[in-house]
Amino acid sequence: MNPEQLLLKAKTHLTMKHPYFGMLASRLRHEPGEGVSGYASNGVRFLYNPAYIEKRTIEEVMFILTNCVMHHVLSHQQRRLNRRGSLWQLATDYAINNLLHQNGLVIPQGANFNTEFKGMYAEEIYDLLKEQYGLSLSEDAFGRDDQRSPDTMAMGDVPEEEGGEPFSANDGTIDEGLDPQSESQWQYAASVAKEVAQRKGSMPTGMDRLGKRAIASGVDWRFELYNAINRHMRNNYAFMPPNKKHIYRGIALPSLASDTLSLCVAIDTSGSINDELLGLFMEEFKSIMNNFPAVKIELITADAKVHNHYTFQGGERLDFSLKGGGGTDFRPVFDYIDANLPMTTMLLYFTDGEGRFPRIPPAYEVLWALSGPAKTPFGRALALFA
């Protein structure tokens, strides 16, 4: 079977066994590519080395195609931001390949696969890999102390996987970036594929909260948020706990401790909240913990009622469920804080702003992280999107 026939057969098998993945894989226009050592995809074209593909089994080609399209569906290139390119590629592969394994696809030998990362976002995996490989952890929302550009970091900086040649989603010989129109087309194609798969009862598992992360608007809402946090911080340096950004270097530097800030974060899990906002929340919540390791954060998830309350502090692994899907009423969160967290000094509420507000503003500061234009009767509104 020649490479062309193998690719067509793999797409057919995917469509039959995994309609969601098959419909998306069929969008890729495959063609032989000069200088391509294995395969590469930019979301429009799938270039391949015929000698490489013809050595693959049908299951391996199905995996290759699915891995490629999921990078585009999950907007991994757009979500990279200022992260190291090769390490981000590894993290996204781990996230995708665990999802594919969960849905019955064969993971080839040599692919980036580790069950320890099952169910984790690529952003979470990336942070764990940084610690694992001893890379710099001194990052924040405003810059990085590593002066090298992510593009200048060679794959040799990260240990290669054992067990054979890697199955990366892109070997660097084709432009990775998607233009806005192509990205929009992928999101539309994914929504159509989801609808078809749901009608057939074959929607992949593990996709519910694995959507793309949103990118903040031109308004630097992170700067506003961190300024607000800093206003409550006391410049009291203490060695307990030490600054976690430098622990990997064997250096115990003092951290900025605070006995004046009690931060509460609420996330609106109502039916009107999409995965973009949830993803952005996850990313920024981790940034807050990493940049303010001495701050204890109370996390509340709610729609028209409070579903869960968790307590986190910098450096802890995020492990919580997002329950909801109902209507939106902000009052239960404020009532819950009054009853259970009376020392709260600031509330950050991630929401679309569509719901019932308390009649009387609370005594503590309130920041509304809004996914769209909305009027808030009190507090400061921060726009997440342009």
Side-chain angles (χ1 to χ4, degrees), residues 206-270:
M207 289 286 295
D208 51 342
R209 294 302 187 200
L210 206 59
K212 76 168 186 175
R213 267 40 170 193
I215 298 176
S217 66
V219 178
D220 196 346
W221 72 275
R222 295 179 182 86
F223 181 79
E224 295 289 341
L225 168 61
Y226 285 24
N227 264 352
I229 294 177
N230 276 312
R231 285 199 301 270
H232 293 273
M233 297 292 287
R234 174 179 294 176
N235 292 328
N236 173 30
Y237 286 89
F239 279 93
M240 291 303 292
N243 192 324
K244 296 183 179 181
K245 294 180 181 179
H246 302 279
I247 289 296
Y248 78 100
R249 299 165 55 191
I251 302 175
L253 295 180
S255 62
L256 183 60
S258 172
D259 56 9
T260 65
L261 173 62
S262 179
L263 175 62
C264 183
V265 177
I267 179 171
D268 179 357
T269 59
S270 64

Side-chain angles (χ1 to χ4, degrees), residues 80-86 144 148-154:
R80 172 182 157 185
L81 302 180
N82 197 33
R83 298 181 178 89
R84 299 171 184 263
S86 56
R144 303 176 184 277
R148 291 187 300 170
S149 164
D151 293 322
T152 65
M153 181 181 179

Side-chain angles (χ1 to χ4, degrees), residues 20-91:
Y20 179 83
F21 298 137
M23 289 186 64
L24 295 173
S26 65
R27 298 187 74 248
L28 290 177
R29 185 176 72 246
H30 59 264
E31 57 188 76
E34 293 185 7
V36 179
S37 59
Y39 60 92
S41 171
N42 69 349
V44 178
R45 293 188 301 157
F46 177 85
L47 303 184
Y48 65 91
N49 183 322
Y52 177 86
I53 293 296
E54 68 182 6
K55 295 178 182 178
R56 311 272 73 86
T57 65
I58 186 68
E59 288 81 11
E60 288 175 337
V61 178
M62 290 168 63
F63 165 83
I64 289 172
L65 292 171
T66 308
N67 178 281
C68 284
V69 299
M70 291 311 297
H71 277 287
H72 304 313
V73 169
L74 298 176
S75 300
H76 280 159
Q77 183 64 18
Q78 289 68 40
R79 286 163 52 184
R80 172 182 157 185
L81 302 180
N82 197 33
R83 298 181 178 89
R84 299 171 184 263
S86 56
L87 198 63
W88 176 242
Q89 172 69 36
L90 184 59

Side-chain angles (χ1 to χ4, degrees), residues 306-325:
V306 172
H307 288 285
N308 294 106
H309 171 205
Y310 308 93
T311 302
F312 294 100
Q313 192 154 354
E316 293 184 355
R317 177 177 175 179
L318 295 181
D319 184 15
F320 60 90
S321 60
L322 294 172
K323 298 180 180 179

Side-chain angles (χ1 to χ4, degrees), residues 37-39 52 56 60 63-64 67 89-90 93-94 97 107-113 155 158-171:
S37 59
Y39 60 92
Y52 177 86
R56 311 272 73 86
E60 288 175 337
F63 165 83
I64 289 172
N67 178 281
Q89 172 69 36
L90 184 59
D93 266 345
Y94 278 137
N97 294 344
I107 309 299
Q109 184 181 18
N112 297 320
F113 177 65
M155 276 304 293
V158 179
E160 293 185 0
E161 291 289 298
E162 299 180 357
E165 57 187 323
F167 276 76
S168 64
N170 196 304
D171 70 2

